[in-house]
Structure formats: structure tokens, C-alpha cells
Amino acid sequence: MTNYDKRIKTICSFVSSSNIADIGADHGYITKCLFESNKISHAYVTDISAKCLKKAEKNLAGFSKFITFLVGDGLSVFDNILGQKNKNYVPVDIIIAGMGGREIIKILSQNKQFNTFILSPQRDVVLLREFLVLNNFFIEKDVIAKTGKMFYNILYVKKTNKRTDLTVNELYFGKTNLEDKIPDFLEYVAYRKNRCEEILKQNEAAIDVQRELNLLNELDLGEKNV
């Protein structure tokens, strides 16, 4: 079995269905990890162009008979597909990872039929959380996973019929991060404090950065305070 990093392992740990979709799959490592760990029986693997999708097709060749490869933009690839498929192959967990928060928002705005999403934005996570709140997504899990020197936000969310608000700290840092205070999150807090301070030395007028630093300094991390 391939040795996967913590980001991929964490994303895969959130999958609870045997049928998934990996949107903008790139090399398809997430889907490959799921097959190799026997967590899924079928996957939709998508990317924006046939050229981009070839990377995943090559990497997932050993599982191709269990995969439907689709070329298209976001969730729109399913508009004419699902009605033609056996209901046993309708994806339940929709994975959108490795792109910016704004792009994920664009994709979620296309959503017509799916309820469960695993999201891992590369940036603009606060903006993404705000969108999720305003559009009645309940964030069940929201964690930091550190891989090498990089910190990745990973969210497990479900579409609901009512709005669940977040506090300012939860918008910035993630509800379950604040509740569980896992080591990766504590490292992230220390990293962001240093990074914000460095930015403010160069630009004291960076209001958003100053606000984040103020929130970081006010966090109550209990006995594990960094």
C-alpha cells in the first residue's frame, strides 16, 4: 500500500460511504488511498479537462473498472449522469480538495442533489466557513492536519434545512479545532502568530492580519497554551 501523508489520511478517515466522488482529483491519490484501504467500492473521479484527468486515470489504472471518470467543471458533471446510473452508484461523500476556498464556494453553489461534503481548501478557509454558515451547511468536523511544514484545513459538512451560526473564533480557527486542541492545531496557532507578526513588521496597516493576530492572542487553549 502507498504511504500517504496525514492530509490524505485525514480526508479518507472522514469517508463513511462506499460510493464517493473526487472533484478536481488531480493525480487521484485520495481515491487511490480509499480503494487501497477497502473503504469504497465505486468512485466518480473528475477534473476540468481530459488532459488534467489523464493523471488520475494513469495513477488509478488498477481500479479503473470501479471508477467513472468524468471531464467537467465542478458538480455540473453530474447534471446528466446520475439519472443514467444504477442507484447503487450514486456518490454520497463528495470530496473537494486541493483548490482555493473561493473555487470550492463556486462548486458548492452548483449543488443540486448532494448533502455530504469533505472539503480541504488551500486558502480562504474563513470565507468558505462563512459561505457554509450562510447556506445552511452544518460543519460536523473541522480540523488541521500538518504535512511536512504545511497546515491543511479539512472540513466534514452536511447540507441541512437550518442555519447554524459560528462564533468569530470558530470562523477563523474551526469549531472542533478549538474543542479538541490537537497538537497539529496548537502548532498551527504558534505558526500563525509568528507569521502575522512578521507581516505586520513589514506592513502595519494590514488590518485583516492584525485582527487575526488579536484573535490568536486571545485564544484560551487551557493547559496546552502555546
Side-chain angles (χ1 to χ4, degrees), residues 142-183:
D142 191 340
V143 303
I144 288 281
K146 184 183 181 187
T147 294
K149 295 182 179 180
M150 300 295 293
F151 296 91
Y152 297 94
N153 291 279
I154 302 168
L155 296 79
Y156 180 78
V157 310
K158 289 190 175 182
K159 182 71 174 174
T160 68
N161 294 319
K162 62 180 180 179
R163 174 168 164 170
T164 304
D165 288 323
L166 298 177
T167 67
V168 172
N169 280 349
E170 288 167 350
L171 280 172
Y172 269 79
F173 308 116
K175 188 173 187 292
T176 51
N177 280 324
L178 295 168
E179 291 172 348
D180 299 336
K181 303 180 181 66
I182 63 173

Side-chain angles (χ1 to χ4, degrees), residues 88-105:
N88 293 330
Y89 295 109
V90 175
V92 176
D93 292 323
I94 311 299
I95 301 166
I96 311 174
M99 59 187 76
R102 292 178 186 273
E103 185 64 23
I104 293 176
I105 289 171

Side-chain angles (χ1 to χ4, degrees), residues 6 24 29 40 45 83 96 165 168 182 199 207 210:
K6 186 183 286 189
Y29 289 122
I40 61 172
V45 174
I96 311 174
D165 288 323
V168 172
I182 63 173
I199 293 172
I207 298 174
Q210 183 62 65

